[in-house]
Amino acid sequence: MFKEEIKVIDCTVRDGGLMNKWQFSETFVKNVYNALADAGVDYMEIGYLSSKDAFDAKVYGPWKFCHEKDLKKVIGDKEKRIKLSAMADIGRIELEDIPLAADSSLDMIRIACYVHQVDKAIALAHHCQEKGYEVTINLMAVSTVGLRELNECLEDLNKSKVPVIYLVDSFGAFYSEDIDTLAQKYIERLPGKTIGAHFHNNQQLAFANTISAIINGVNYLDATLYGIGRGAGNCPLELLLSFLKNPKFKVRPVVKCIEEEIFPWSQKIDWGYSIPYMVTGTMNQHPRTAMALMESEDKDKVLDYYDSICNGGATS
Amino acid sequence: MFKEEIKVIDCTVRDGGLMNKWQFSETFVKNVYNALADAGVDYMEIGYLSSKDAFDAKVYGPWKFCHEKDLKKVIGDKEKRIKLSAMADIGRIELEDIPLAADSSLDMIRIACYVHQVDKAIALAHHCQEKGYEVTINLMAVSTVGLRELNECLEDLNKSKVPVIYLVDSFGAFYSEDIDTLAQKYIERLPGKTIGAHFHNNQQLAFANTISAIINGVNYLDATLYGIGRGAGNCPLELLLSFLKNPKFKVRPVVKCIEEEIFPWSQKIDWGYSIPYMVTGTMNQHPRTAMALMESEDKDKVLDYYDSICNGGATS
């Protein structure tokens, strides 16, 4: 499906970093950067934009902060090869810690927020726009939001100057029918704005739901190398680029980078489809209990986990 | 989505057996049998129906043959708890080796065939019907079949007495749009017949495409425990039953059986999404070269494999 408006945003370092506290080496990030540029991907989300005081730099790697000096190391002396994005969480970044876009290697700042934080997110987004950045607001966990609340939130976003609003399936709970319904609602209620999609793979539906989003007119598409990301992971970039017929996209650099950089990480951290993540997805819950199980010695005791989530004990 | 007409067929032993030459223990098959019955699954496909001379019983386990004595061991002394199905390949079963349904524990025989074998498949299916079995024809690899050929084949099937015809994505090459197009064509050209779906997971789309099939009116749905099956595997049964809202289906027995019987096998055989299977899926090819790679020491050398499949050598 060739649609010129489509932009692909790779979140490998940002979302994958949720699994290793952003402890990716400079070489890893450089190689991902070059692979994404070679593949024709539109944006690389290279991490979170956080204030120094918000997290302990001894625990969290540089991509939790995205300081300009670290971005510069990746880009090197040559011209920047791909637009860079960073995600900002409400309350984790002070306004004065955001440089002017003219002084930064970042092109885009994406504000992640829950529905109840939307006013703060709009204020932060407008601030970033004034400093010269492209911005998006990524409205998380909408699978748990009531209809009235969602409508009000979309009304606020509609009045804002933020040009790109994301439909996010934080819990991997949505079926394609949900994507049809919600994408159509976002497009209807946010006239003139671009809609984005960020989906998780708890039910092996992140790629399929991204296709549904495309069919419904969503044009900003998130993916990661080999699906790396929190818990069940994300829409795999190699599948998405294979599906998109735009000749600017190339799969080979992605396959090369997966072999060289992602396979070694797949030996050290554990993302992707598994029964605990499937359970939280189908139950529309945050994956934190599943992640705790997967990091424990009891990771294969999935029946006990299923019972604890479904009903606090076995009944059948 | 509650649709009373929907039947779920578990292919764990039959399709999973492609990965271990059907060397599942009697205990394994018994436990799967009871789990599927507890879960409300409609059919258990317990293996292939093959003549003794077609395969070496020293190499292939009992579920490659489905002899009545082996079926009886699984069922035990009590009443059969779930309908049993076996698959028959053209040329691998002599007519005289098929017992009367009245003398067999099998309820259904599913004939797998390529388009060029459809006349033989119909003859075999009619023979099985005359012996008292339910029958289906599973038309394989339609992603590689030309339009005229497919139309002629569907015309032949339409004239037959076979009541259930399967849409099969042997190579995991289809997107949901393909399922929409083909399911609608099958339904239109096979009036009065039931359509089934059997999909492979090369692009993480087996479950999503099964949902698309349901939405298009397909009512026989194949799945396996934890997606076990050839290469990238199948639609995971636990996901399908979670999606179907029919109260007769229960997920818990499936989760229990996955923990007890499938996790141990996942240590011994390697099915599921991986780059080589993704490559054959996107290239619409049989997975045999990917399976050979995955069984070799070079399984992680995916870039060389990608190049060999795409263009016989690196070009970029």
Side-chain angles (χ1 to χ4, degrees), chain A residues 1 175-177 201-205 207-208 211 215 226 236 238-239 242-243 245 251-252 255-256 258-259 263 273-275 278 282 300-303 306-307 314 316, chain B residues 1 175-177 201 203-205 207-208 211 215 226 236 238-239 242-243 245 251-252 255-256 258-259 263 273-275 278 282 300-303 306-307 314 316:
Chain A
M1 174 177 294
Y175 297 114
S176 61
E177 294 155 299
N201 211 22
N202 299 58
Q203 299 194 69
Q204 300 194 1
L205 292 174
F207 175 45
I211 296 176
I215 292 170
Y226 210 43
E238 65 278 13
L239 290 173
S242 293
F243 174 77
K245 302 301 183 243
V251 175
R252 189 177 189 273
V255 171
K256 182 168 184 280
I258 288 171
E259 176 177 328
F263 282 173
Y273 178 72
S274 71
I275 297 296
M278 167 255 172
T282 59
D300 283 347
K301 295 190 178 163
V302 294
L303 185 65
Y306 177 84
D307 288 336
S316 65
Chain B
M1 174 177 292
Y175 297 113
S176 61
E177 295 156 297
N201 212 23
Q203 299 193 69
Q204 300 194 0
L205 291 174
F207 175 44
I211 296 176
I215 291 170
Y226 209 42
E238 65 278 13
L239 290 174
S242 293
F243 174 77
K245 302 301 182 242
V251 175
R252 189 178 190 273
V255 171
K256 183 168 184 281
I258 288 171
E259 176 176 328
F263 282 173
Y273 178 73
S274 72
I275 297 295
M278 166 255 174
T282 58
D300 284 347
K301 294 188 178 165
V302 293
L303 184 65
Y306 176 83
D307 287 335
S316 66

Coordinates of all heavy atoms in Angstrom, one line a residue, chain A residues 1 175-177 201-205 207-208 211 215 226 236 238-239 242-243 245 251-252 255-256 258-259 263 273-275 278 282 300-303 306-307 314 316, chain B residues 1 175-177 201 203-205 207-208 211 215 226 236 238-239 242-243 245 251-252 255-256 258-259 263 273-275 278 282 300-303 306-307 314 316:
Chain A
M1 N 0.8 -1.2 0.0 CA 0.0 0.0 0.0 C 0.9 1.2 0.0 O 1.5 1.5 1.0 CB -0.9 0.0 1.2 CG -1.7 1.3 1.4 SD -2.8 1.2 2.8 CE -3.9 0.0 2.3
Y175 N -8.6 -5.1 19.4 CA -8.7 -5.9 18.1 C -8.9 -4.9 17.0 O -9.1 -3.7 17.2 CB -10.0 -6.8 18.2 CG -9.9 -7.8 19.3 CD1 -10.7 -7.8 20.4 CD2 -9.0 -8.9 19.2 CE1 -10.6 -8.7 21.4 CE2 -8.9 -9.8 20.2 CZ -9.7 -9.8 21.3 OH -9.6 -10.7 22.3
S176 N -8.8 -5.4 15.7 CA -8.9 -4.5 14.6 C -10.2 -3.7 14.6 O -10.2 -2.6 14.1 CB -8.7 -5.3 13.3 OG -9.8 -6.3 13.2
E177 N -11.3 -4.3 15.1 CA -12.5 -3.6 15.2 C -12.4 -2.4 16.1 O -13.1 -1.4 15.8 CB -13.6 -4.5 15.7 CG -13.9 -5.7 14.7 CD -14.6 -6.9 15.4 OE1 -13.9 -7.5 16.3 OE2 -15.7 -7.3 15.0
N201 N 2.1 -5.8 21.5 CA 1.9 -7.0 20.8 C 1.4 -8.2 21.7 O 1.6 -9.3 21.4 CB 3.2 -7.5 20.1 CG 3.0 -8.3 18.9 OD1 2.0 -8.2 18.2 ND2 4.0 -9.1 18.5
N202 N 0.7 -7.8 22.7 CA 0.3 -8.8 23.7 C -0.6 -9.9 23.1 O -0.6 -11.1 23.5 CB -0.6 -8.2 24.8 CG 0.2 -7.1 25.6 OD1 0.8 -6.2 25.0 ND2 0.4 -7.3 26.9
Q203 N -1.3 -9.6 22.1 CA -2.2 -10.6 21.4 C -1.7 -10.8 20.0 O -2.5 -11.2 19.1 CB -3.7 -10.1 21.4 CG -4.2 -9.9 22.8 CD -5.7 -9.7 22.8 OE1 -6.5 -10.7 22.5 NE2 -6.2 -8.6 23.1
Q204 N -0.4 -10.6 19.7 CA 0.1 -10.8 18.4 C -0.7 -9.9 17.3 O -0.8 -10.3 16.2 CB 0.1 -12.2 17.9 CG 0.9 -13.1 18.8 CD 1.1 -14.5 18.3 OE1 0.7 -14.8 17.1 NE2 1.8 -15.4 19.0
L205 N -1.1 -8.7 17.8 CA -1.9 -7.9 16.9 C -1.3 -6.6 16.6 O -1.9 -5.7 15.9 CB -3.3 -7.7 17.4 CG -4.2 -9.0 17.5 CD1 -5.5 -8.7 18.2 CD2 -4.5 -9.5 16.1
F207 N 1.2 -5.6 14.6 CA 1.3 -5.3 13.1 C 0.0 -5.3 12.5 O -0.3 -4.4 11.7 CB 2.2 -6.4 12.6 CG 2.4 -6.4 11.1 CD1 2.6 -5.2 10.4 CD2 2.3 -7.5 10.3 CE1 2.8 -5.2 9.0 CE2 2.5 -7.5 8.9 CZ 2.7 -6.3 8.3
A208 N -0.9 -6.3 12.7 CA -2.2 -6.3 12.1 C -3.0 -5.0 12.4 O -3.6 -4.5 11.5 CB -3.0 -7.5 12.6
I211 N -1.8 -2.2 10.3 CA -2.4 -2.3 9.0 C -3.8 -1.7 9.0 O -4.2 -0.9 8.2 CB -2.4 -3.7 8.5 CG1 -1.0 -4.2 8.3 CG2 -3.2 -3.8 7.1 CD1 -0.9 -5.7 7.8
I215 N -5.3 1.5 6.9 CA -6.5 1.5 6.1 C -7.5 2.5 6.5 O -8.2 3.1 5.7 CB -7.1 0.0 6.2 CG1 -6.2 -1.0 5.5 CG2 -8.5 0.0 5.5 CD1 -6.6 -2.4 5.7
Y226 N 12.6 -5.9 15.1 CA 12.2 -7.2 15.6 C 11.2 -7.1 16.8 O 11.1 -8.0 17.6 CB 13.5 -7.9 16.1 CG 13.5 -9.4 16.0 CD1 13.0 -10.1 14.9 CD2 14.0 -10.2 17.1 CE1 13.0 -11.5 14.8 CE2 14.0 -11.6 17.0 CZ 13.5 -12.2 15.9 OH 13.5 -13.6 15.8
P236 N 6.7 -5.0 14.7 CA 8.1 -5.2 14.1 C 8.3 -4.4 12.9 O 7.5 -4.4 11.9 CB 8.1 -6.7 13.8 CG 7.0 -7.3 14.7 CD 5.9 -6.3 14.7
E238 N 10.5 -4.6 10.5 CA 10.7 -5.4 9.3 C 9.4 -5.8 8.6 O 9.3 -5.9 7.4 CB 11.6 -6.6 9.6 CG 11.1 -7.7 10.5 CD 11.2 -7.4 12.0 OE1 11.5 -6.3 12.3 OE2 11.0 -8.3 12.8
L239 N 8.4 -6.1 9.4 CA 7.1 -6.5 8.8 C 6.4 -5.2 8.2 O 5.8 -5.3 7.2 CB 6.2 -7.1 9.9 CG 6.6 -8.5 10.4 CD1 5.7 -8.9 11.6 CD2 6.5 -9.5 9.3
S242 N 8.0 -4.2 5.0 CA 7.7 -5.1 3.9 C 6.3 -4.9 3.4 O 6.0 -5.1 2.2 CB 7.8 -6.6 4.5 OG 9.1 -6.9 4.8
F243 N 5.4 -4.5 4.3 CA 4.0 -4.2 3.9 C 3.9 -3.0 3.1 O 3.2 -2.9 2.1 CB 3.2 -4.2 5.2 CG 1.7 -3.8 4.9 CD1 0.8 -4.7 4.4 CD2 1.3 -2.5 5.1 CE1 -0.5 -4.3 4.1 CE2 0.0 -2.1 4.9 CZ -0.9 -3.0 4.4
K245 N 4.6 -0.3 0.5 CA 5.2 -0.5 -0.8 C 5.9 0.8 -1.3 O 6.4 0.8 -2.4 CB 4.1 -0.9 -1.9 CG 3.4 -2.2 -1.5 CD 4.3 -3.4 -1.3 CE 3.5 -4.7 -1.0 NZ 3.9 -5.2 0.3
V251 N 14.1 -3.0 3.3 CA 14.1 -4.0 4.4 C 15.5 -4.5 4.8 O 15.8 -4.8 5.9 CB 13.2 -5.2 4.1 CG1 13.2 -6.3 5.1 CG2 11.7 -4.7 3.8
R252 N 16.4 -4.6 3.8 CA 17.7 -5.2 4.0 C 18.5 -4.6 5.2 O 19.0 -5.3 6.0 CB 18.5 -5.2 2.7 CG 19.8 -6.0 2.8 CD 20.5 -6.0 1.5 NE 21.6 -7.0 1.5 CZ 22.8 -6.7 2.0 NH1 23.1 -5.5 2.5 NH2 23.7 -7.7 2.1
V255 N 17.1 -6.0 8.4 CA 17.5 -7.4 8.6 C 18.9 -7.4 9.1 O 19.3 -8.1 10.1 CB 17.3 -8.2 7.4 CG1 17.9 -9.6 7.6 CG2 15.8 -8.3 7.0
K256 N 19.8 -6.7 8.5 CA 21.2 -6.6 8.9 C 21.4 -6.2 10.3 O 22.1 -6.8 11.1 CB 22.0 -5.7 7.9 CG 23.5 -5.6 8.1 CD 24.1 -4.8 6.9 CE 25.6 -4.8 7.0 NZ 26.1 -3.7 8.0
I258 N 19.2 -6.2 12.7 CA 18.6 -7.2 13.6 C 19.6 -8.3 13.9 O 19.8 -8.7 15.1 CB 17.3 -7.8 13.0 CG1 16.2 -6.7 13.1 CG2 16.9 -9.0 13.8 CD1 14.9 -7.1 12.4
E259 N 20.2 -8.8 12.8 CA 21.2 -9.8 13.1 C 22.4 -9.3 13.9 O 22.8 -10.0 14.9 CB 21.8 -10.3 11.7 CG 22.9 -11.3 11.9 CD 23.4 -11.9 10.5 OE1 22.6 -12.0 9.6 OE2 24.6 -12.2 10.5
F263 N 19.7 -9.5 17.8 CA 19.9 -10.9 18.3 C 20.7 -11.0 19.6 O 20.3 -11.7 20.5 CB 20.5 -11.7 17.2 CG 19.5 -12.1 16.1 CD1 20.0 -12.8 15.0 CD2 18.2 -11.9 16.2 CE1 19.1 -13.2 13.9 CE2 17.3 -12.3 15.2 CZ 17.8 -12.9 14.1
Y273 N 5.7 -12.1 22.5 CA 4.5 -12.8 22.9 C 4.8 -13.9 24.0 O 5.7 -14.7 23.8 CB 3.9 -13.4 21.7 CG 2.6 -14.2 22.0 CD1 1.4 -13.6 22.4 CD2 2.6 -15.6 22.0 CE1 0.3 -14.3 22.7 CE2 1.5 -16.3 22.4 CZ 0.3 -15.7 22.7 OH -0.8 -16.4 23.0
S274 N 4.0 -13.9 25.0 CA 4.0 -15.0 26.0 C 2.7 -15.0 26.7 O 1.9 -14.0 26.7 CB 5.2 -14.8 27.0 OG 4.9 -13.8 27.9
I275 N 2.4 -16.1 27.4 CA 1.1 -16.2 28.0 C 0.8 -15.1 29.1 O -0.3 -14.5 29.0 CB 1.0 -17.6 28.7 CG1 1.0 -18.7 27.6 CG2 -0.3 -17.7 29.5 CD1 -0.1 -18.7 26.6
M278 N -0.2 -12.1 27.1 CA -1.5 -12.4 26.5 C -2.6 -12.2 27.5 O -3.7 -11.6 27.2 CB -1.5 -13.8 26.0 CG -2.8 -14.3 25.5 SD -3.4 -15.5 26.8 CE -5.0 -15.9 26.3
T282 N -5.6 -9.5 27.1 CA -7.0 -9.9 26.9 C -7.9 -9.3 28.1 O -9.0 -9.0 28.0 CB -7.2 -11.4 26.9 OG1 -6.7 -12.0 28.0 CG2 -6.6 -12.0 25.7
D300 N 7.3 -19.6 34.1 CA 6.6 -20.7 33.4 C 5.3 -21.1 34.1 O 4.5 -21.9 33.6 CB 7.5 -21.9 33.1 CG 8.4 -21.6 31.9 OD1 8.2 -20.6 31.2 OD2 9.3 -22.4 31.8
K301 N 5.1 -20.6 35.3 CA 3.9 -20.9 36.1 C 2.7 -20.1 35.7 O 2.2 -19.2 36.4 CB 4.2 -20.8 37.6 CG 5.2 -21.8 38.0 CD 5.4 -21.9 39.5 CE 6.4 -23.0 39.9 NZ 6.9 -22.9 41.3
V302 N 2.3 -20.3 34.5 CA 1.3 -19.4 33.9 C -0.1 -19.6 34.3 O -0.9 -18.7 34.3 CB 1.5 -19.3 32.3 CG1 2.8 -18.8 31.9 CG2 1.3 -20.7 31.7
L303 N -0.4 -20.8 34.7 CA -1.7 -21.1 35.2 C -2.0 -20.4 36.5 O -3.1 -19.8 36.6 CB -2.0 -22.6 35.4 CG -3.4 -23.0 35.7 CD1 -4.4 -22.6 34.6 CD2 -3.6 -24.4 36.1
Y306 N -2.6 -16.9 35.6 CA -3.9 -16.7 34.9 C -5.0 -16.6 36.0 O -5.8 -15.7 36.0 CB -4.1 -17.8 34.0 CG -5.5 -17.8 33.3 CD1 -5.7 -17.1 32.2 CD2 -6.5 -18.6 33.8 CE1 -6.9 -17.0 31.5 CE2 -7.8 -18.5 33.2 CZ -8.0 -17.8 32.1 OH -9.2 -17.7 31.5
D307 N -4.9 -17.5 36.9 CA -5.9 -17.6 38.0 C -5.9 -16.3 38.8 O -6.9 -15.7 39.2 CB -5.7 -18.8 38.9 CG -6.1 -20.1 38.2 OD1 -7.0 -20.0 37.3 OD2 -5.6 -21.2 38.6
A314 N -8.3 -20.3 41.5 CA -8.8 -21.3 40.5 C -10.3 -21.5 40.8 O -10.7 -21.7 42.0 CB -8.0 -22.6 40.6
S316 N -12.2 -23.4 38.2 CA -12.7 -24.5 37.3 C -11.6 -25.5 36.9 O -10.4 -25.2 37.1 CB -13.2 -23.9 36.0 OG -12.2 -23.3 35.2
Chain B
M1 N -17.0 -11.7 19.9 CA -18.0 -12.0 18.8 C -18.6 -13.3 18.9 O -18.0 -14.3 18.8 CB -17.2 -11.9 17.4 CG -18.1 -12.2 16.3 SD -17.3 -12.0 14.7 CE -17.1 -10.2 14.6
Y175 N -2.2 -10.7 3.8 CA -2.7 -9.7 4.7 C -4.2 -9.7 4.8 O -4.8 -10.4 4.0 CB -2.2 -8.3 4.1 CG -0.7 -8.1 3.9 CD1 -0.1 -8.1 2.7 CD2 0.1 -8.1 5.1 CE1 1.2 -7.9 2.6 CE2 1.4 -7.9 5.0 CZ 2.0 -7.9 3.7 OH 3.4 -7.7 3.6
S176 N -4.7 -8.9 5.8 CA -6.1 -9.0 6.0 C -6.9 -8.7 4.7 O -8.0 -9.2 4.5 CB -6.5 -8.1 7.2 OG -6.2 -6.7 6.8
E177 N -6.4 -7.8 3.9 CA -7.1 -7.4 2.7 C -7.2 -8.6 1.7 O -8.2 -8.8 1.0 CB -6.3 -6.3 2.0 CG -6.3 -5.0 2.8 CD -5.1 -4.1 2.4 OE1 -4.0 -4.5 2.6 OE2 -5.4 -3.0 1.9
N201 N 1.8 -18.2 10.6 CA 2.1 -17.0 11.4 C 3.4 -16.3 10.9 O 4.0 -15.6 11.7 CB 2.2 -17.4 12.9 CG 1.8 -16.2 13.7 OD1 1.0 -15.3 13.3 ND2 2.2 -16.2 15.0
Q203 N 4.1 -13.8 9.3 CA 4.1 -12.3 9.5 C 3.3 -11.9 10.7 O 2.8 -10.8 10.8 CB 3.5 -11.6 8.2 CG 4.3 -12.0 6.9 CD 3.9 -11.1 5.8 OE1 4.1 -9.9 5.8 NE2 3.2 -11.6 4.8
Q204 N 3.2 -12.8 11.7 CA 2.5 -12.5 12.9 C 1.0 -12.1 12.6 O 0.4 -11.3 13.3 CB 3.1 -11.4 13.7 CG 4.5 -11.7 14.1 CD 5.1 -10.7 15.2 OE1 4.4 -9.8 15.7 NE2 6.3 -10.9 15.7
L205 N 0.5 -12.7 11.6 CA -0.9 -12.4 11.1 C -1.9 -13.5 11.2 O -3.0 -13.4 10.8 CB -0.9 -11.8 9.7 CG -0.2 -10.4 9.6 CD1 -0.1 -10.0 8.1 CD2 -0.9 -9.4 10.4
F207 N -3.5 -15.0 13.7 CA -4.7 -14.7 14.5 C -5.5 -13.5 13.9 O -6.7 -13.6 13.8 CB -4.2 -14.3 16.0 CG -5.3 -13.9 16.9 CD1 -6.5 -14.5 17.0 CD2 -5.1 -12.8 17.7 CE1 -7.5 -14.1 17.8 CE2 -6.0 -12.3 18.6 CZ -7.3 -13.0 18.7
A208 N -4.8 -12.5 13.6 CA -5.5 -11.3 13.0 C -6.2 -11.7 11.7 O -7.4 -11.3 11.5 CB -4.5 -10.2 12.6
I211 N -9.4 -13.5 12.6 CA -10.4 -12.5 12.9 C -11.0 -11.9 11.6 O -12.3 -11.9 11.5 CB -9.9 -11.4 13.8 CG1 -9.4 -11.9 15.2 CG2 -10.9 -10.3 14.0 CD1 -8.7 -10.9 16.1
I215 N -15.0 -12.2 10.5 CA -15.8 -11.0 10.1 C -16.4 -11.2 8.7 O -17.5 -10.7 8.4 CB -14.9 -9.7 10.2 CG1 -14.6 -9.4 11.6 CG2 -15.6 -8.5 9.5 CD1 -13.5 -8.3 11.8
Y226 N -0.6 -22.5 21.8 CA 0.6 -21.6 21.8 C 1.1 -21.5 20.4 O 2.3 -21.2 20.2 CB 1.6 -22.3 22.7 CG 2.6 -21.2 23.4 CD1 2.1 -20.0 23.9 CD2 3.9 -21.5 23.5 CE1 2.9 -19.1 24.5 CE2 4.8 -20.6 24.1 CZ 4.3 -19.4 24.6 OH 5.1 -18.5 25.2
P236 N -2.7 -19.0 17.5 CA -2.7 -19.6 18.8 C -4.1 -19.8 19.4 O -4.9 -18.8 19.3 CB -1.9 -18.5 19.7 CG -1.1 -17.8 18.6 CD -2.0 -17.7 17.4
E238 N -5.2 -20.1 22.4 CA -5.6 -19.3 23.6 C -6.0 -17.9 23.1 O -6.9 -17.3 23.8 CB -4.4 -19.2 24.5 CG -3.1 -18.5 24.1 CD -2.2 -19.4 23.2 OE1 -2.6 -20.5 22.7 OE2 -1.0 -19.0 22.9
L239 N -5.4 -17.3 22.1 CA -5.9 -16.0 21.6 C -7.3 -16.1 21.0 O -8.1 -15.3 21.2 CB -4.9 -15.5 20.6 CG -3.5 -15.0 21.2 CD1 -2.6 -14.6 20.1 CD2 -3.7 -13.9 22.2
S242 N -10.0 -16.6 23.5 CA -10.2 -15.3 24.2 C -11.0 -14.3 23.4 O -11.8 -13.6 24.0 CB -8.9 -14.7 24.6 OG -8.2 -15.4 25.5
F243 N -10.8 -14.4 22.1 CA -11.5 -13.5 21.2 C -13.0 -13.9 21.1 O -13.9 -13.0 21.1 CB -10.9 -13.4 19.9 CG -11.6 -12.6 18.8 CD1 -11.6 -11.3 18.8 CD2 -12.4 -13.3 17.8 CE1 -12.2 -10.5 17.9 CE2 -13.1 -12.5 16.9 CZ -13.0 -11.1 16.9
K245 N -16.5 -14.9 22.0 CA -17.2 -14.7 23.2 C -18.3 -15.8 23.5 O -19.0 -15.7 24.5 CB -17.9 -13.3 23.2 CG -17.0 -12.2 23.0 CD -15.9 -12.1 24.0 CE -14.9 -10.9 23.8 NZ -13.5 -11.3 23.5
V251 N -10.8 -20.6 28.4 CA -9.3 -20.4 28.1 C -8.5 -21.2 29.2 O -7.4 -21.7 28.8 CB -9.0 -18.9 28.2 CG1 -7.5 -18.7 28.0 CG2 -9.8 -18.2 27.0
R252 N -9.0 -21.3 30.4 CA -8.1 -21.9 31.5 C -7.6 -23.2 31.2 O -6.3 -23.5 31.4 CB -8.9 -21.9 32.8 CG -8.1 -22.2 34.0 CD -8.9 -22.2 35.3 NE -8.0 -22.3 36.4 CZ -7.5 -23.5 36.9 NH1 -8.0 -24.6 36.4 NH2 -6.7 -23.5 37.9
V255 N -4.6 -22.8 28.9 CA -3.4 -22.2 29.6 C -2.7 -23.3 30.4 O -1.5 -23.5 30.4 CB -3.8 -21.0 30.5 CG1 -2.6 -20.6 31.4 CG2 -4.3 -19.9 29.7
K256 N -3.5 -24.1 31.1 CA -3.0 -25.3 31.9 C -2.2 -26.2 31.0 O -1.1 -26.6 31.3 CB -4.1 -26.0 32.6 CG -3.8 -27.1 33.5 CD -5.0 -27.5 34.3 CE -4.7 -28.6 35.3 NZ -4.6 -29.9 34.8
I258 N -0.9 -25.7 28.1 CA 0.3 -25.1 27.5 C 1.4 -25.2 28.5 O 2.6 -25.5 28.2 CB 0.0 -23.6 27.1 CG1 -0.9 -23.5 25.9 CG2 1.3 -22.8 26.9 CD1 -1.4 -22.2 25.5
E259 N 1.1 -24.8 29.8 CA 2.2 -24.9 30.8 C 2.7 -26.3 31.0 O 3.9 -26.5 31.0 CB 1.6 -24.4 32.2 CG 2.6 -24.5 33.3 CD 2.1 -24.0 34.6 OE1 1.4 -23.0 34.6 OE2 2.5 -24.5 35.7
F263 N 5.1 -26.0 26.9 CA 6.4 -25.4 27.3 C 7.5 -26.4 27.2 O 8.6 -26.1 26.7 CB 6.3 -24.8 28.7 CG 5.6 -23.5 28.8 CD1 5.3 -22.9 30.0 CD2 5.2 -22.8 27.7 CE1 4.6 -21.7 30.1 CE2 4.5 -21.6 27.7 CZ 4.3 -21.0 29.0
Y273 N 7.5 -17.0 15.2 CA 8.0 -15.9 14.4 C 9.5 -15.8 14.4 O 10.1 -15.9 15.5 CB 7.4 -14.6 14.8 CG 7.9 -13.4 14.0 CD1 7.5 -13.2 12.7 CD2 8.8 -12.5 14.6 CE1 8.0 -12.1 12.0 CE2 9.3 -11.4 13.9 CZ 8.9 -11.2 12.6 OH 9.4 -10.2 11.9
S274 N 10.1 -15.7 13.3 CA 11.6 -15.4 13.2 C 11.8 -14.9 11.8 O 11.0 -14.9 10.9 CB 12.4 -16.7 13.4 OG 12.3 -17.5 12.3
I275 N 13.0 -14.3 11.6 CA 13.3 -13.5 10.4 C 13.2 -14.5 9.1 O 12.6 -14.1 8.1 CB 14.6 -12.8 10.5 CG1 14.6 -11.7 11.6 CG2 15.0 -12.2 9.1 CD1 13.6 -10.6 11.3
M278 N 9.7 -14.9 8.3 CA 9.1 -13.7 7.8 C 9.5 -13.4 6.3 O 8.7 -13.0 5.5 CB 9.7 -12.5 8.7 CG 9.5 -11.1 8.2 SD 11.1 -10.5 7.5 CE 10.6 -9.0 6.8
T282 N 6.8 -13.0 3.4 CA 6.7 -11.8 2.5 C 7.0 -12.1 1.1 O 6.5 -11.4 0.2 CB 7.6 -10.7 3.1 OG1 9.0 -11.1 3.0 CG2 7.2 -10.3 4.5
D300 N 21.2 -17.9 12.9 CA 21.2 -16.5 13.1 C 21.8 -15.7 12.0 O 21.8 -14.4 12.0 CB 22.0 -16.1 14.4 CG 21.1 -16.5 15.7 OD1 19.9 -16.7 15.5 OD2 21.7 -16.5 16.8
K301 N 22.2 -16.3 10.9 CA 22.8 -15.6 9.8 C 21.7 -15.2 8.8 O 21.6 -15.7 7.7 CB 23.9 -16.4 9.1 CG 25.1 -16.7 10.0 CD 26.2 -17.3 9.3 CE 27.4 -17.5 10.3 NZ 28.4 -18.4 9.8
V302 N 20.9 -14.3 9.3 CA 19.6 -14.0 8.6 C 19.8 -13.1 7.4 O 19.1 -13.1 6.4 CB 18.5 -13.5 9.5 CG1 18.1 -14.6 10.5 CG2 19.0 -12.3 10.2
L303 N 20.9 -12.3 7.4 CA 21.1 -11.4 6.3 C 21.6 -12.2 5.0 O 21.0 -11.9 3.9 CB 22.2 -10.3 6.6 CG 22.4 -9.3 5.5 CD1 21.2 -8.5 5.3 CD2 23.6 -8.4 5.8
Y306 N 18.5 -13.7 3.8 CA 17.6 -12.7 3.1 C 18.1 -12.5 1.7 O 17.4 -12.5 0.7 CB 17.6 -11.4 3.9 CG 16.9 -10.3 3.3 CD1 15.5 -10.2 3.5 CD2 17.5 -9.3 2.5 CE1 14.8 -9.1 2.9 CE2 16.8 -8.3 2.0 CZ 15.5 -8.2 2.1 OH 14.8 -7.1 1.6
D307 N 19.4 -12.3 1.6 CA 20.0 -12.0 0.2 C 19.8 -13.2 -0.7 O 19.5 -13.0 -1.9 CB 21.5 -11.7 0.4 CG 21.8 -10.3 1.0 OD1 20.9 -9.5 0.8 OD2 22.9 -10.2 1.6
A314 N 24.0 -10.3 -2.3 CA 23.9 -8.9 -1.8 C 24.0 -7.9 -2.9 O 24.9 -8.0 -3.8 CB 25.0 -8.7 -0.7
S316 N 23.1 -4.3 -2.0 CA 23.0 -3.0 -1.4 C 23.7 -3.0 0.0 O 23.9 -4.0 0.6 CB 21.6 -2.4 -1.2 OG 20.9 -3.2 -0.3

